[in-house]
Amino acid sequence: MSEHEYVPKSKAAKWFNDRLPLLTLGAHLTDYPTPKNLNYWWTFGGILTFCLITQIVTGIVLAMHYVAHADLAFASVEHIMRDVNYGWLIRYIHSNGASMFFLAVYIHIFRSLFYGSYKSPREVIWIIGLMIYLLMMAAAFMGYVLPWGQMSFWGATVITNLFSAIPLVGDSITTWLWGAYSVDNPTLNRFFSLHYLIPFLILGLVVLHIWALHVPGNNNPVGIDIKKPSKDTVPFHPYITIKDAFALLVFMIIFAGFVFFTPNVLGHSDNYIPANPLVTPAHIVPEWYLLPFYAILRSVPDKLGGVILMFSAIFILFVLPWLDTSKVRSAVFRPIYRQFFWILVIDVLMLGYVGAMPAEGIYLVLARVGTIYYFLHFIVVMPVVGYLEKTDPIPMSISEPVLSGGAEPSLARKVNDKV
Amino acid sequence: MSKEEKKVNRRDFLFTASYTVGAVGVGAVIWPMIDQMNPDKAQQALATTEVDISSIEPGKSITVLWRGKPVFLKRRTSEEIAEARAVKLDDLPDPQKDEDRVKEGKDEWLVMLGVCTHLGCVPLKDKGDFNGWFCPCHGSHYDVSGRIRKGPAPTNMEIPKFEFVDNNTIKIG
């Protein structure tokens, strides 16, 4: 936060700012001192904001043409695709936008894991972020139900049936969620209502996420506390805005590539068949971004156990700041943890792959190995490695390694050690 | 705490009374908001379905929709019945006699919800390792009585409430 108090130049602006200090907020956001060594992994916050706004804008437009009724929903989506002016474009942006949103959020989460951004004093930022992630999954799931195709219907059936695993009250809860005795028109109606609501809840949490971020300030690749403002920081505008804008442009090119060249590659062709409660598609697969959790669900040969483990896989992330015992934030200076980090990345990618495959033979074995490692990583590896690991020496400031001649802080350190 | 313990005075009483009345009021408003999501009168009105079974040959089955869910009606052959009854209860994850899954004297008619008890998919008939049904979603095998034999499903496929209106008609629900 800037030391000097902001004073508007014109009299009118001052009059307004005294009554509602929006201009002070604007000045804070512009001058906000940001670590000067942020790399491109730090641009995904801006990219995610773009994704959220894109989903809200295209979603509001789609809602003007969509009909949330079991008999009409499928036809209204086809109507959007064929009759509505640019309807195909808006719908493809919205459906691919969900995938791009998750792609960006996974990079954002793994960046946080690598550089220790979830650690003190940033635990609350991390937890709010996870709440956003949970809401994203709920919104994506309900959105996928709205076209009322075969995958919509059976995806909704399988996911809502997860709750029937709860002892005693499970069936009542499932019936309550459905508003019927199966997934039916009342289910579609309420999913549409909630699908419209959730993005605005996310928007509110994003404001809190950024607010919580602006209290301690950004973490950075070196992971050390820095003085703000100092020679280690640059003002957010124009230094970070231009970097974010460049990364966003590259991201939008990839996004547009999906929308214009392979708009259906991430979806499932069965969803172009209208929902039929009498026939289950041969292969029920969730959207790609939920596959790792789906693999965990299926790796357990017990209904309740699978459901519990799947939800645990998400909720364990909430206590991550307290499972990590290391005092060093950035994995750049943690030679052992760094290797386990990459094992986790491979593990999650593998779980995603086997989640898309049939749950049998070698895939089932891999899913079980992957599930066991996933939990071991957080419950055993993080506390133990943090405790035993001999970390590399960390620099005193961001400027130090740069001034001493090396581009990489760790490299600079090695040079210093020789001297 | 104990040092500063005060006598309960009139203000404490007013606080407690206000919170209590407030909590009751909030509860009274929340319950309708929750209960409105339960199945409405129109959904409940679909509670029964009558099915004509006269055209089903032995060994064949039909599927009808009841409350939005598929119901399998299978007319079993005597071999199939014998097979179902030869199974030892110890071999079943959810032990239940075949006799308890059909109406007495109407042993050939198996009427059950065609819904996998794992996560609600519709199992495929005449598939799986036990000559019954197989759920393609997560690989649950059911036998010729609709009982779970292998896979993640915890219980046998459910038998709905039903009755024979006459020899050719079944009323489900």
Side-chain angles (χ1 to χ4, degrees):
Chain A
M1 266 156 242
S2 48
E3 312 271 295
H4 61 278
E5 198 56 41
Y6 171 75
V7 183
K9 284 193 187 83
S10 79
K11 228 176 161 185
K14 192 175 177 313
W15 178 90
F16 179 80
N17 201 49
D18 286 345
R19 281 149 185 83
L20 179 66
L22 269 186
L23 297 170
T24 304
L25 178 66
H28 161 74
L29 293 175
T30 313
D31 298 341
Y32 173 66
T34 316
K36 66 180 181 183
N37 60 339
L38 295 189
N39 55 33
Y40 276 106
W41 300 114
W42 258 265
T43 59
F44 283 87
I47 287 170
L48 283 162
T49 311
F50 165 80
C51 287
L52 178 60
I53 291 166
T54 304
Q55 291 306 91
I56 289 178
V57 171
T58 52
I60 288 171
V61 172
L62 288 172
M64 294 177 186
H65 304 280
Y66 170 79
V67 185
H69 189 283
D71 297 338
L72 303 170
F74 188 86
S76 77
V77 171
E78 286 309 305
H79 160 74
I80 288 170
M81 294 301 290
R82 293 152 199 256
D83 303 339
V84 175
N85 299 331
Y86 294 103
W88 60 272
L89 177 65
I90 295 158
R91 176 165 175 264
Y92 277 154
I93 292 174
H94 196 73
S95 58
N96 284 284
S99 282
M100 300 313 288
F101 206 157
F102 275 96
L103 176 68
V105 92
Y106 281 127
I107 295 173
H108 195 62
I109 290 171
F110 276 104
R111 187 271 290 156
S112 184
L113 281 174
F114 187 83
Y115 293 110
S117 303
Y118 51 88
K119 291 161 80 147
S120 173
R122 296 184 179 83
E123 301 95 321
V124 172
I125 312 174
W126 171 254
I127 288 168
I128 293 171
L130 288 174
M131 290 162 70
I132 294 172
Y133 174 53
L134 278 178
L135 283 178
M136 279 174 63
M137 290 197 280
F141 159 63
M142 292 187 192
Y144 195 56
V145 174
L146 301 185
W148 213 238
Q150 272 292 66
M151 277 293 162
S152 301
F153 184 90
W154 291 102
T157 299
V158 168
I159 300 294
T160 49
N161 262 304
L162 292 176
F163 294 92
S164 72
I166 302 168
L168 302 177
V169 292
D171 284 331
S172 313
I173 290 179
T174 320
T175 306
W176 178 74
L177 288 172
W178 288 336
Y181 301 100
S182 62
V183 172
D184 210 333
N185 190 48
T187 324
L188 176 62
N189 259 293
R190 63 192 55 183
F191 277 18
F192 180 56
S193 170
L194 295 172
H195 182 72
Y196 209 119
L197 163 73
I198 290 173
F200 296 97
L201 297 180
I202 294 177
L203 190 62
L205 284 174
V206 166
V207 171
L208 293 183
H209 193 62
I210 296 172
W211 185 2
L213 169 70
H214 280 231
V215 175
N218 289 71
N219 184 29
N220 64 76
V222 184
I224 54 170
D225 291 323
I226 51 171
K227 255 185 70 187
K228 291 168 293 244
S230 70
K231 59 177 181 168
D232 279 349
T233 67
V234 290
F236 189 77
H237 181 74
Y239 294 95
I240 304 298
T241 43
I242 197 69
K243 187 162 185 159
D244 276 0
F246 177 70
L248 180 59
L249 268 177
V250 174
F251 183 81
M252 284 163 81
I253 291 170
I254 298 167
F255 193 156
F258 277 108
V259 169
F260 290 106
F261 294 105
T262 57
N264 288 308
V265 72
L266 297 170
H268 209 292
S269 51
D270 275 346
N271 219 28
Y272 284 103
I273 304 167
N276 179 356
L278 290 176
V279 182
T280 306
H283 263 290
I284 292 219
V285 191
E287 293 280 78
W288 68 267
Y289 38 81
L290 302 175
L291 286 173
F293 300 111
Y294 193 61
I296 291 174
L297 169 76
R298 295 196 306 181
S299 71
V300 186
D302 176 75
K303 182 174 169 180
L304 182 60
V307 173
I308 289 176
L309 216 59
M310 185 184 74
F311 281 108
S312 307
I314 300 166
F315 284 104
I316 198 169
L317 299 173
F318 280 85
V319 291
L320 199 61
W322 297 275
L323 288 173
D324 186 348
T325 52
S326 177
K327 289 194 171 60
V328 176
R329 283 197 199 102
S330 173
V332 169
F333 305 105
R334 301 185 57 189
I336 310 293
Y337 170 74
R338 194 164 58 218
Q339 294 170 36
F340 281 108
F341 170 84
W342 288 112
I343 293 175
L344 179 72
V345 173
I346 293 165
D347 185 63
V348 171
L349 290 175
M350 183 190 78
L351 280 174
Y353 173 72
V354 297
M357 296 291 132
E360 57 196 30
I362 182 70
Y363 298 120
L364 195 56
V365 176
L366 287 175
R368 285 179 179 159
V369 172
T371 301
I372 290 168
Y373 180 75
Y374 182 90
F375 284 99
L376 276 183
H377 181 90
F378 294 114
I379 296 171
V380 179
V381 171
M382 282 200 121
V384 173
V385 169
Y387 188 68
L388 298 177
E389 182 180 42
K390 189 180 179 313
T391 55
D392 294 340
I394 53 173
M396 298 298 290
S397 75
I398 294 172
S399 302
E400 183 209 34
V402 178
L403 291 177
S404 55
E408 277 272 307
S410 49
L411 288 178
R413 216 45 219 191
K414 276 173 197 147
V415 174
N416 284 347
D417 289 344
K418 273 182 205 155
V419 175
Chain B
M1 194 67 193
S2 58
K3 238 193 276 175
E4 293 171 15
E5 210 164 305
K6 289 185 294 181
K7 271 196 215 153
V8 175
N9 57 29
R10 184 189 294 231
R11 181 158 294 185
D12 293 328
F13 173 77
L14 284 173
F15 278 143
T16 309
S18 312
Y19 291 144
T20 309
V21 172
V24 170
V26 168
V29 176
I30 281 180
W31 176 246
M33 298 304 287
I34 292 172
D35 193 42
Q36 54 83 21
M37 282 177 68
N38 273 318
D40 56 30
K41 299 284 186 295
Q43 290 292 332
Q44 289 170 7
L46 305 171
T48 60
T49 301
E50 289 202 7
V51 190
D52 178 12
I53 54 170
S54 56
S55 58
I56 306 173
E57 300 288 326
K60 299 286 177 202
S61 67
I62 63 164
T63 307
V64 296
L65 212 54
W66 173 65
R67 285 180 160 186
K69 281 179 178 161
V71 175
F72 296 156
L73 294 99
K74 185 173 170 81
R75 185 173 182 181
R76 302 185 295 178
T77 60
S78 47
E79 296 88 59
E80 285 172 329
I81 298 170
E83 184 191 331
R85 300 198 170 172
V87 177
K88 276 187 284 184
L89 283 188
D90 294 347
D91 294 342
L92 298 171
D94 178 21
Q96 192 180 20
K97 280 195 210 157
D98 182 64
E99 288 88 334
D100 297 337
R101 294 175 61 78
V102 293
K103 293 269 191 256
E104 215 182 328
K106 301 275 189 185
D107 294 354
E108 59 178 0
W109 291 103
L110 179 65
V111 179
M112 67 181 177
L113 283 186
V115 174
C116 179
T117 56
H118 181 225
L119 294 174
C121 299
V122 180
L124 305 168
K125 65 179 172 185
D126 304 327
K127 285 232 164 68
D129 298 352
F130 298 92
N131 203 16
W133 286 266
F134 171 72
C135 181
C137 290
H138 308 98
S140 292
H141 299 256
Y142 295 89
D143 67 12
V144 72
S145 185
R147 294 173 295 195
I148 180 66
R149 302 297 292 272
K150 199 171 107 183
T155 56
N156 304 330
M157 278 196 265
E158 200 184 319
I159 306 292
K161 198 171 151 253
F162 73 96
E163 61 186 55
F164 287 86
V165 179
D166 54 52
N167 272 340
N168 289 330
T169 316
I170 289 177
K171 189 170 103 182
I172 307 166

